[in-house]
Amino acid sequence: MINIIPMPSEYKINDGFFTGFENLTLKSDFDLPLLKCPRGENSRLIIIKESSFDAEEYTLDIDKDRIEIKASSKTGAYYALQSLRQLCRAELGENKAPCCHIKDKPVFKWRGLQLDESRHFFGKDGVKRFLDHMFMMKLNVFHWHLTDDQGWRIEIKKYPLLTEKGSVREYTQINGWHSSELVNERYEGFYTQDDIREIVEYACERGIMIVPEIDFPAHCASAIAAYPWLACKELFREVPGYFGGLIPERKLNIKDWNRPICPGKDRTVEFIFDVIDEVCDLFPAPYFHIGGDEAPKDEWKKCPCCQQRIKENNLKNEEDLQGWLNNQILAHIKDKGKSLIGWNEILKAGNLDKSIIGQYWTPQRDKNAERFVNNGGRLIMSNHHSFYFDMTYAQYPLKNTYDYKPEDFGVNKDNIKNVLGVEGENWTEWIDSLDMLDCRLHPRMEALAEVAWTPEVKRNWSSFLSRLEGFKPYYEYLGINYAVDSVSMPKGIIKRANIQKKFFKGDTHLELKLNKKYKAQGEK
């Protein structure tokens, strides 16, 4: 067995070891600024450009006297170096790598990880740290959730109130979905456009594409708080700090708390296009994520503008009105060379353009999503049971992530080709610190990486656990507060049920506390 995560697609271990990393010099056909290694003609680390390889493919050959890497791109070369990094463990003081041959490339082109910064904000350093960890695991898509009800986190110059007002809330719900407790503290933060450019460049250097998500038509309370005319009815409300319907309905007596923007107003559609224009100028990725999930239609049914839009365009109903809006947005971004992504609820619309990409997340099986992908539509798989990393390990243990197969969610074998890839989601209603993010994310990120990279026939749970054990010193070296085995692979039905109960009402940080306790007792 070779001690790398994710497991390479092909490898052979030979006798002996390469040593002498302390004095290693490099000769490379690529400019690799992230590699801090002296250059020299008589080098023992050779990187050769091999144009016939796929963009992320590489070979790594290690013998006792030299290391040779072949790749067609800088990204492929960096991936080979990440494999070498894990093999030689130089940062951990070991400084030797087994002689071997590795030929490697990913199963899926889309190997993603999402971070929600609307609910809790981590800042530039936190995001760069997140990207560094993705890079080590050969994950290549950072899905950046920048707007939602509880905060607008990206500067839009044409609409300054989006950050002046929409990025600030005066209170935040705590202690779980079924709790009505609030902390009355101001919470704020956003990224300037210069911040965004800096992070995009940082990601690009590491072969990571950033896909922005700007939610329309639902999850827009922070935008509506800044510009009330965006909604069907102009109601002046502050940016909410609650994360569901319990507090507004029972404590604040607000029944229509989940309000979308109004697609019937030309002014609203113009606003969407203006925002998209500025966002697309910041992100070179050929994708734009529109969200589109959990969009209530009650206001649209009563709105004269929405009903007029339905009539003028011969739409069947309000679902098709959302489909009409998504098609307008798609047409707008197509001119910028981009494709539109939306959560799988958008696939309910009967008039939706078939080129739109769905992202399948729902806990319940969705026949619309499954029909879509099996009839040629493109999907990204983020199924709740395996890839919702904000959930407790008590609900979704580590093995849920590792055992993932698209076929278990209705994708026929012949249509796996229509799956762009897989992605883990980090929603942050209850993730309020880097420590909490680390604990929820690791070792799930490593399991996700193997699902995304390694052929299914080469994946093995026992092997993964063994390699994960060997990787744990890297968690310590990198300062990652990973979940120990007793947390990430919990045993006992009653114990697990109790943790889940407390997560929903009482103590969303229970697993974090247990993790600290077990580490203090010496568990790894």
Side-chain angles (χ1 to χ4, degrees):
M1 182 183 70
I2 201 157
N3 202 15
I4 297 174
I5 301 174
M7 173 68 80
S9 54
E10 297 179 31
Y11 71 90
K12 179 183 178 184
I13 300 175
N14 301 316
D15 293 335
F17 292 87
F18 178 93
T19 58
F21 283 93
E22 300 90 341
N23 302 313
L24 194 65
T25 58
L26 167 70
K27 182 179 179 182
S28 176
D29 290 344
F30 300 100
D31 178 30
L32 301 170
L34 301 179
L35 181 59
K36 308 302 180 186
C37 182
R39 271 57 171 173
E41 284 300 313
N42 298 316
S43 299
R44 298 173 71 197
L45 174 57
I46 314 295
I47 301 178
I48 300 167
K49 184 172 184 178
E50 176 52 73
S51 299
S52 65
F53 283 9
D54 292 345
E56 297 179 307
E57 183 178 4
Y58 69 88
T59 58
L60 171 62
D61 285 284
I62 303 173
D63 63 32
K64 294 177 182 179
D65 298 315
R66 92 182 216 145
I67 300 169
E68 182 182 278
I69 289 169
K70 290 183 180 180
S72 67
S73 69
K74 285 170 53 173
T75 300
Y78 276 136
Y79 287 165
L81 290 165
Q82 290 288 12
S83 293
L84 178 62
R85 178 186 186 183
Q86 290 190 45
L87 285 172
C88 76
R89 302 167 73 86
E91 296 148 308
L92 307 178
E94 297 185 19
N95 280 315
K96 67 175 184 178
C99 295
C100 62
H101 167 75
I102 296 173
K103 183 174 176 57
D104 204 9
K105 65 179 181 178
V107 171
F108 289 117
K109 299 298 185 185
W110 187 289
R111 305 182 305 282
L113 207 58
Q114 175 260 26
L115 181 62
D116 162 22
E117 287 209 82
S118 173
R119 281 55 178 257
H120 285 97
F121 183 76
F122 297 94
K124 283 195 297 183
D125 290 343
V127 169
K128 288 179 179 180
R129 178 178 182 270
F130 191 88
L131 292 168
D132 285 341
H133 299 164
M134 288 181 63
F135 186 34
M136 192 172 189
M137 287 294 112
K138 305 183 178 81
L139 297 172
N140 66 345
V141 180
F142 175 41
H143 172 178
W144 204 359
H145 187 80
L146 287 162
T147 71
D148 213 301
D149 293 326
Q150 293 78 22
W152 187 283
R153 306 293 178 205
I154 178 172
E155 177 188 28
I156 303 297
K157 293 185 182 296
K158 190 167 183 178
Y159 298 97
L161 293 181
L162 288 172
T163 45
E164 289 177 23
K165 187 174 178 63
S167 70
V168 182
R169 62 177 185 256
E170 299 298 336
Y171 61 92
T172 301
Q173 183 179 354
I174 59 170
N175 292 336
W177 297 106
H178 298 163
S179 168
S180 59
E181 295 178 64
L182 300 172
V183 171
N184 291 310
E185 294 177 1
R186 186 182 178 92
Y187 195 93
E188 59 188 312
F190 69 90
Y191 294 102
T192 67
Q193 294 195 359
D194 284 342
D195 292 336
I196 297 286
R197 291 186 187 95
E198 179 183 333
I199 293 169
V200 168
E201 182 179 358
Y202 189 89
C204 186
E205 288 172 346
R206 288 153 180 78
I208 297 171
M209 172 179 67
I210 301 185
V211 176
E213 181 181 350
I214 310 295
D215 274 20
F216 298 118
H219 293 287
C220 289
S222 58
I224 294 171
Y227 297 100
W229 50 262
L230 287 169
C232 296
K233 296 182 291 185
E234 291 197 26
L235 302 176
F236 292 87
R237 291 180 181 159
E238 298 300 312
V239 177
Y242 47 76
F243 300 130
L246 182 69
I247 289 176
E249 290 178 2
R250 297 187 187 178
K251 195 166 185 173
L252 304 177
N253 198 31
I254 300 173
K255 303 302 181 186
D256 58 344
W257 58 275
N258 187 16
R259 303 178 65 224
I261 60 172
C262 178
K265 298 177 185 176
D266 290 342
R267 189 183 184 190
T268 301
V269 177
E270 181 184 346
F271 168 87
I272 294 172
F273 289 172
D274 289 340
V275 169
I276 287 173
D277 287 346
E278 291 197 32
V279 173
C280 287
D281 285 346
L282 295 169
F283 293 93
Y287 302 97
F288 185 93
H289 205 303
I290 200 65
D293 61 313
E294 300 173 331
K297 310 294 192 297
D298 290 345
E299 280 197 25
W300 295 359
K301 292 176 182 178
K302 301 172 185 176
C303 172
C305 296
C306 289
Q307 293 305 307
Q308 182 64 24
R309 184 81 80 189
I310 289 172
K311 182 179 179 181
E312 288 175 351
N313 291 276
N314 297 314
L315 305 176
K316 291 181 180 179
N317 51 33
E318 287 73 23
E319 289 293 348
D320 280 7
L321 179 57
Q322 185 174 353
W324 173 88
L325 178 64
N326 283 329
N327 289 342
Q328 300 304 302
I329 294 168
L330 173 64
H332 189 75
I333 67 169
K334 267 188 175 179
D335 291 340
K336 304 174 186 295
K338 296 181 186 289
S339 298
L340 189 66
I341 305 171
W343 299 108
N344 58 283
E345 288 100 320
I346 69 171
L347 302 175
K348 294 176 185 176
N351 60 336
L352 194 67
D353 190 292
K354 301 306 179 187
S355 71
I356 284 176
I357 299 164
Q359 187 159 6
Y360 189 179
W361 77 271
T362 48
Q364 304 81 19
R365 291 279 294 269
D366 182 351
K367 295 302 180 185
N368 290 317
E370 294 167 13
R371 191 180 305 113
F372 180 74
V373 71
N374 289 320
N375 283 283
R378 293 177 291 169
L379 277 188
I380 300 159
M381 308 300 283
S382 294
N383 301 98
H384 202 278
H385 299 274
S386 298
F387 296 132
Y388 262 51
F389 296 166
D390 55 305
M391 296 290 105
T392 62
Y393 289 101
Q395 183 174 356
Y396 296 145
L398 178 62
K399 202 168 190 292
N400 276 42
T401 302
Y402 194 82
D403 284 349
Y404 182 81
K405 299 179 182 67
E407 304 96 291
D408 292 340
F409 294 88
V411 182
N412 298 337
K413 280 276 189 185
D414 292 342
N415 294 309
I416 297 291
K417 63 182 182 294
N418 298 327
V419 173
L420 296 185
V422 294
E423 180 181 292
E425 310 304 314
N426 295 280
W427 302 105
T428 62
E429 288 93 341
W430 317 114
I431 297 176
D432 55 5
S433 67
L434 286 175
D435 258 7
M436 186 67 164
L437 180 62
D438 280 357
C439 190
R440 284 281 189 256
L441 183 56
H442 302 279
R444 283 166 165 159
M445 175 195 279
E446 288 68 37
L448 165 71
E450 195 141 309
V451 171
W453 184 278
T454 307
E456 187 180 322
V457 294
K458 297 291 180 72
R459 282 163 38 200
N460 179 278
W461 174 241
S462 296
S463 165
F464 174 73
L465 291 182
S466 177
R467 286 176 286 119
L468 181 62
E469 197 64 32
F471 188 79
K472 286 178 181 178
Y474 265 111
Y475 289 139
E476 303 290 345
Y477 170 78
L478 296 169
I480 294 173
N481 183 34
Y482 70 96
V484 299
D485 293 356
S486 294
V487 173
S488 67
M489 295 173 280
K491 296 178 181 178
I493 295 174
I494 295 175
K495 179 182 177 181
R496 288 176 59 183
N498 188 48
I499 291 173
Q500 290 181 64
K501 180 180 177 181
K502 289 186 177 180
F503 174 70
F504 277 89
K505 185 177 182 179
D507 191 353
T508 57
H509 291 69
L510 179 57
E511 285 186 332
L512 183 66
K513 294 172 185 175
L514 290 172
N515 203 57
K516 184 178 180 180
K517 173 186 172 182
Y518 297 149
K519 282 186 174 180
Q521 294 172 349
E523 185 174 344
K524 295 293 185 181

